[in-house]
Amino acid sequence: MHRSRGLATALTLALAGTCTAMGFGLVEQAAAVTPPVAFTADELPTWQANGVVWALAEAGDQVFVGGTFSAVRPPEGAAGTEQEAVNFATLDAATGAPTACKLSFTVGSGTATVRALVLSPDKSTLYAGGYFGAVNGTPVSSLAAIDVATCTVKTGFRPAFAATVRALAVTGDTVYAGGDFLTVAGQPRERFAAVDAADGTLKPFTANADEPGRAVEVAPDGQHVILGGDFFTVGGTNSHALAVVDATSGAVTKAYPGFIETNSVVKDIATDATGFYTGNEGTGGGVFDGRIALNLSDYGQRWRDTCLGATQAVLPYQNVLYSASHAHDCSSVGEYPDGQRHHLLAQPTTATGKLGWAPDTNDGIGEGIGPRVMTVGAKGGVQYLWVGGEFTTVNGAAQQSLTRFASTGDTGAPSVPVASAVSFKPGEVQVRWRTSLDLDDSTLTYKVYRNGSATPIATVAADSLFFRRPQASWTDTTVTAGQSYTYRVTATDAAGNASALSATASVTVPNSADAYPSAVRADGAQLFWRYDESALPFVADSSDGNQSGVHLNAPALRQTPGAVSGASTAIGFNGTDTQVYGDRRQNVGSTYSIETWFKTNTTTGGKLVGFGNNQARGSSQYDKHIYMTNDGRLVYGVYSGGTHTVTTAAAYNDNQWHHVVATQGPGGMTLYVDGVQKGTLGFTAHENFTGYWHAGGDSLGGWPDRPVSEYWAGQLDETAVYPTVLSAAQVQNHYTLASAPADSVVEVQAAEDTYANAGAPGTNYGTSGSLAVRGSSFYASYLRFNLPAAPAGTVLKSATLSVKTSTMSGAGTTDTVSVLPVTGSWTEAGTTYANRPALGGPALGSFAGVPDGSAVQTTGLDKATVAGALGSAYSLALSSAGTDALWLWSSEAAANEGSPKLTLTFGAP
């Protein structure tokens, strides 16, 4: 049982505009990690063993290490010489390096091993159990007492255990042992025994078990002992894997028949002031592999964590239960589905929900279990969580058998956010990003930067875990129609470690609402995947539901033309293994609508959209789905004790875009294709399970007309899910709007740019990387754009010019900078002050002063003038009448973020 200081959070929330984020809130300044987690996830340099570490114990500033190994060596990559260490080592808690205390645990025949270490209450004596016959040559019999001060064997402590000791617990006068033995000092003691702490004399305590003991712990009251192991009976009482016995007699005081599955065992037990906790391991199907918390008041269950992946060690510390396992499926407690193994976890001692602490190891050597034991040591006011086992990597770096984590010094920065931005109507931009991964902080601060400014326009706090990284978003309501904006996002943890900036997300605000996505949002979609991403793996949700998705196995991005007129693109699936799965685990009721556009010529069918209980692996529960048969017919299905389907008569694998909507509600099931109802079924029930939305594939076993492939070969676009039943009129409206003309945006980079300088009248600045503007002494900048013609059936709706200030001090200006037409001829390579071109008027637009700090600046231009120049090369000049210079990046500068550029919006007349 351990005590130490609490931790606090450091996050702020300061928003400009409207914020929509997952789990954001106001929090205090302070700590290194997100409370109640007490340790960082950053592994510290630690000497390592060349075998398996089975046992750890701490005394003051020392950590004792026991196991099956012959040497220890410096941390991976550190200089130093390997040292002999026969199944035992003593390491400094703060440095992780060996101390002067060296003991060798050996045996005459077989393989010696140290399996248990425990300190006396005053920490003056270390008790070691295992299978060994001598310590530094002094004869012992699988249990020894070590004087901590002198690092010598206590020869007066001479118990005789006839087989391996696997677990130890100690009080002031008694050492309790569990293991494989059947006798102690020649007396019958089957798997559990107690000896005098001073001389090892056998005590009357008798708690005979029929299978090995693996864990033993003394209750805080000192009157009871908690036993764990493989057994089915203790003292003749039916009690599988767990029992509570009297500390003096060994008589059973609390039995647990049928409490733990028969194919599971208890590998570890730990206590705190309120309860005790078990780590469990199972073999075969239907096992219990997780953790149980039980109250000390009645020894009854507080909670049970049914994650799969054998738990080897549990450690309660500051109201958090740390555990060592290879948990690979926590879907039964509403967390991550079957998949990757996670070896180190934390959860409150009051509940099963995982906390934001998840450093990781691999499975390693031996049985391939990973970490097996944990303890906390302290030195200099810093606590260190030590972990031992059979792993060979920690957080992806080579390190064998030993690692540790400190209570201070968080250095790991969050992962870089993946961000995008979209605008569906004038005056509003939705900036959204996949929340970042940080292995010891579940609450992170995200800063949103606009137009390259060094000052964030918004700060958002949002929660994420290693298995739950939902979309966060922020809505910018300070934008102007027709103008272009760029956004970048960073993530910062409570210790101030910041990620790099995300890639730039660019967006142009429309002059009028984009009809199709506006209708989808207005009709209440809570998931809206438009598939406009240009990079893996984040699929943004364009609804307000923040239900983002993840690309699996790299589907083809930005397929054109999409289903909806305008700039939106589609996604392509290969019919073999590519799909998109949702980031958020949820429960879907019996009222919903599913909508998507699809295009294919497949003859192997596949699932277009559906709901399943897994993510990256095939689901074992799956329904509420739309799939295609081999001959191209569409099936909409729901499961509730059996399959219930609506199937189209016609085939739709004609390589044309089609629109499909499936609804279920109090009126039953309805299937629409291309705006027309194709079938109904008066079935209102559904299967109630938690899961994830999928697009492009998932399981289809047991469904009628099951296609050859469960994966979709073709394109999808505009996938949406609603918590309501769309009406026939709404479905028809969506179908109609998809073909309505939409505004299109064309960005034109400067083909040539340079500036003239009165102070150097003969100098050309065409390749300088800079542009400058000032009235006196004179600077003027010249820009040439090759303008496209208006797309057929459209006119120019707006035109904006974007430039970016440089990073030099004072690059901004307090003067008004005018955008003027150029009437004379010029070239980038030949223009100087002496031969500069003439300028015309009136001004097409202006910048009413530009603040210091490198950032993109945008101004609208006279639409009629620019429209008259479409289809030709057109030149603009930046000019000022003042004395405060403006310095900009030219098109040759690496930091210009695509500026100078014109953004042209075309739409219906």
Side-chain angles (χ1 to χ4, degrees):
M1 185 167 58
H2 307 274
R3 296 280 186 272
S4 76
R5 88 279 187 278
L7 296 174
T9 293
L11 287 175
T12 59
L13 177 64
L15 304 180
T18 303
C19 175
T20 307
M22 298 301 300
F24 72 88
L26 294 171
V27 285
E28 299 175 351
Q29 282 297 104
V33 294
T34 302
V37 170
F39 301 98
T40 80
D42 305 319
E43 75 280 7
L44 297 175
T46 307
W47 278 58
Q48 52 195 313
N50 64 351
V52 178
V53 170
W54 297 99
L56 294 169
E58 58 85 22
D61 57 5
Q62 296 182 98
V63 172
F64 303 104
V65 181
T68 310
F69 50 85
S70 61
V72 293
R73 63 185 187 276
E76 198 68 37
T81 304
E82 184 174 88
Q83 297 182 13
E84 182 181 62
V86 182
N87 303 312
F88 182 87
T90 307
L91 304 181
D92 184 278
T95 67
T99 70
C101 179
K102 301 182 186 301
L103 301 169
S104 295
F105 287 73
T106 57
V107 69
S109 62
T111 301
T113 184
V114 175
R115 292 299 182 105
L117 295 170
V118 67
L119 272 298
S120 61
D122 63 2
K123 297 196 174 185
S124 65
T125 302
L126 172 68
Y127 296 94
Y131 179 69
F132 46 83
V135 180
N136 280 7
T138 299
V140 293
S141 184
S142 293
L143 179 60
I146 310 298
D147 182 85
V148 172
T150 63
C151 190
T152 58
V153 179
K154 290 190 172 184
T155 57
F157 181 84
R158 295 293 300 273
F161 282 79
T164 303
V165 173
R166 297 183 179 274
L168 293 172
V170 63
T171 65
D173 60 3
T174 304
V175 178
Y176 297 91
D180 301 346
F181 51 85
L182 299 178
T183 64
V184 179
Q187 300 297 312
R189 292 291 191 276
E190 299 177 11
R191 281 89 184 198
F192 292 100
V195 299
D196 186 273
D199 60 13
T201 303
L202 186 64
K203 290 201 168 190
F205 177 92
T206 303
N208 292 333
D210 60 338
E211 295 291 344
R214 298 185 181 274
V216 58
E217 190 75 24
V218 179
D221 64 7
Q223 304 301 307
H224 299 87
V225 176
I226 308 160
L227 310 179
D230 301 2
F231 51 81
F232 291 86
T233 64
V234 176
T237 300
N238 290 330
S239 191
H240 174 53
L242 183 67
V244 180
V245 300
D246 182 82
T248 301
S249 68
V252 174
T253 60
K254 174 69 175 179
Y256 294 89
F259 183 67
I260 294 174
E261 283 74 358
T262 57
N263 54 355
S264 298
V265 302
V266 170
K267 297 297 292 287
D268 191 27
I269 298 172
T271 65
D272 62 13
T274 65
F276 68 97
Y277 309 87
T278 68
N280 305 271
E281 177 183 78
T283 303
V287 300
F288 174 57
D289 267 349
R291 294 154 289 284
I292 305 175
L294 300 101
N295 297 313
L296 289 172
S297 56
D298 60 0
Y299 296 108
Q301 178 174 294
R302 179 187 306 164
W303 52 255
R304 180 180 291 228
D305 184 336
T306 53
C307 289
L308 294 175
T311 304
Q312 303 298 312
V314 287
L315 176 65
Y317 182 77
Q318 292 184 356
N319 302 316
V320 172
L321 184 69
Y322 297 88
S323 59
S325 69
H326 58 265
H328 57 85
D329 184 354
C330 287
S331 57
S332 62
V333 290
E335 295 174 334
Y336 55 91
D338 193 14
Q340 178 184 345
R341 291 183 167 192
H342 299 278
H343 297 85
L344 295 169
L345 299 173
Q347 60 201 109
T349 55
T350 56
T352 62
K354 305 304 179 293
L355 298 170
W357 184 82
D360 205 12
T361 73
N362 64 354
D363 291 340
I365 60 175
E367 295 179 47
I369 294 293
R372 288 187 174 272
V373 64
M374 313 171 84
T375 196
V376 173
K379 186 174 183 179
V382 178
Q383 291 77 42
Y384 299 91
L385 175 62
W386 285 70
V387 179
E390 55 197 83
F391 50 84
T392 57
T393 67
V394 179
N395 289 340
Q399 175 73 19
Q400 185 172 350
S401 301
L402 279 170
T403 191
R404 62 203 174 98
F405 308 94
S407 59
T408 61
D410 181 13
T411 60
S415 62
V416 180
V418 180
S420 64
V422 67
S423 180
F424 299 120
K425 62 182 181 180
E428 187 173 293
V429 170
Q430 181 199 45
V431 185
R432 60 273 177 99
W433 59 93
R434 189 185 190 198
T435 47
S436 296
L437 175 63
D438 190 289
L439 294 179
D440 47 32
D441 285 282
S442 57
T443 302
L444 300 173
T445 299
Y446 298 90
K447 296 179 180 179
V448 182
Y449 298 86
R450 188 173 76 178
N451 289 348
S453 172
T455 302
I457 192 173
T459 302
V460 178
D463 291 341
S464 59
L465 296 168
F466 67 92
F467 59 88
R468 184 183 299 128
R469 295 173 58 191
Q471 174 176 296
S473 62
W474 172 76
T475 301
D476 188 352
T477 57
T478 63
V479 293
T480 301
Q483 294 197 13
S484 297
Y485 297 86
T486 63
Y487 298 89
R488 302 181 79 177
V489 182
T490 64
T492 305
D493 67 15
N497 301 305
S499 74
L501 283 163
S502 70
T504 300
S506 301
V507 65
T508 299
V509 183
N511 290 279
S512 58
D514 194 345
Y516 184 87
S518 294
V520 171
R521 287 167 56 87
D523 287 340
Q526 286 299 291
L527 179 155
F528 187 18
W529 296 341
R530 304 205 73 200
Y531 307 119
D532 292 337
E533 291 75 29
S534 57
L536 303 169
F538 173 59
V539 182
D541 180 9
S542 292
S543 79
D544 292 329
N546 280 326
Q547 295 197 57
S548 54
V550 178
H551 297 112
L552 180 65
N553 296 323
L557 306 182
R558 297 196 65 78
Q559 302 292 288
T560 57
V564 176
S565 60
S568 183
T569 60
I571 189 170
F573 298 101
N574 62 11
T576 303
D577 62 358
T578 56
Q579 65 161 296
V580 170
Y581 60 81
D583 240 349
R584 184 192 297 178
R585 182 181 176 89
Q586 60 188 288
N587 186 283
V588 177
S590 58
T591 299
Y592 58 88
S593 298
I594 306 168
E595 176 180 38
T596 197
W597 287 79
F598 67 94
K599 178 183 178 183
T600 187
N601 60 1
T602 184
T603 57
T604 58
K607 183 177 294 192
L608 284 71
V609 182
F611 190 70
N613 68 342
N614 216 322
Q615 288 181 306
R617 298 187 181 187
S619 296
S620 59
Q621 290 178 286
Y622 40 93
D623 76 335
K624 303 177 186 66
H625 51 206
I626 303 168
Y627 62 93
M628 179 173 277
T629 64
N630 294 335
D631 60 5
R633 291 172 296 128
L634 293 173
V635 181
Y636 163 41
V638 171
Y639 183 86
S640 180
T643 61
H644 304 268
T645 59
V646 179
T647 305
T648 65
Y652 296 94
N653 54 347
D654 56 2
N655 215 30
Q656 300 296 314
W657 279 112
H658 295 284
H659 178 237
V660 59
V661 176
T663 71
Q664 186 182 27
M669 300 165 59
T670 305
L671 178 63
Y672 302 87
V673 181
D674 294 339
V676 178
Q677 185 185 112
K678 296 298 182 180
T680 63
L681 183 65
F683 187 75
T684 60
H686 71 113
E687 186 173 16
N688 188 19
F689 65 93
T690 55
Y692 310 85
W693 286 107
H694 294 253
D698 196 14
S699 303
L700 280 171
W703 283 82
D705 292 321
R706 180 185 179 186
V708 169
S709 176
E710 296 180 333
Y711 288 88
W712 168 254
Q715 296 180 359
L716 294 181
D717 200 2
E718 310 294 331
T719 300
V721 178
Y722 305 77
T724 58
V725 174
L726 290 180
S727 68
Q730 288 173 312
V731 172
Q732 176 63 52
N733 184 47
H734 292 192
Y735 177 66
T736 302
L737 288 176
S739 59
D743 289 354
S744 61
V745 176
V746 178
E747 294 184 345
V748 184
Q749 307 294 327
E752 293 185 275
D753 54 10
T754 188
Y755 76 97
N757 177 5
T763 302
N764 171 261
Y765 295 94
T767 59
S768 68
S770 295
L771 299 172
V773 183
R774 186 172 62 193
S776 179
S777 171
F778 179 88
Y779 297 140
S781 292
Y782 309 95
L783 317 171
R784 191 189 321 276
F785 298 92
N786 295 322
L787 302 183
T794 69
V795 297
L796 183 68
K797 303 288 284 293
S798 68
T800 61
L801 171 66
S802 298
V803 293
K804 187 177 183 182
T805 47
S806 74
T807 54
M808 73 167 58
S809 178
T813 181
T814 58
D815 298 330
T816 295
V817 175
S818 298
V819 183
L820 300 171
V822 177
T823 58
S825 61
W826 66 282
T827 63
E828 179 181 85
T831 296
T832 66
Y833 176 79
N835 66 3
R836 68 191 185 279
L839 305 181
L844 306 180
S846 64
F847 297 92
V850 175
D852 288 342
S854 182
V856 175
Q857 306 294 325
T858 302
T859 185
L861 301 181
D862 182 74
K863 180 176 63 175
T865 302
V866 177
L870 290 175
S872 66
Y874 187 62
S875 294
L876 302 173
L878 300 178
S879 179
S880 169
T883 59
D884 186 10
L886 170 66
W887 288 93
L888 306 171
W889 293 122
S890 77
S891 59
E892 283 80 12
N896 69 358
E897 289 199 3
S899 61
K901 71 178 178 183
L902 287 179
T903 301
L904 309 177
T905 301
F906 298 95

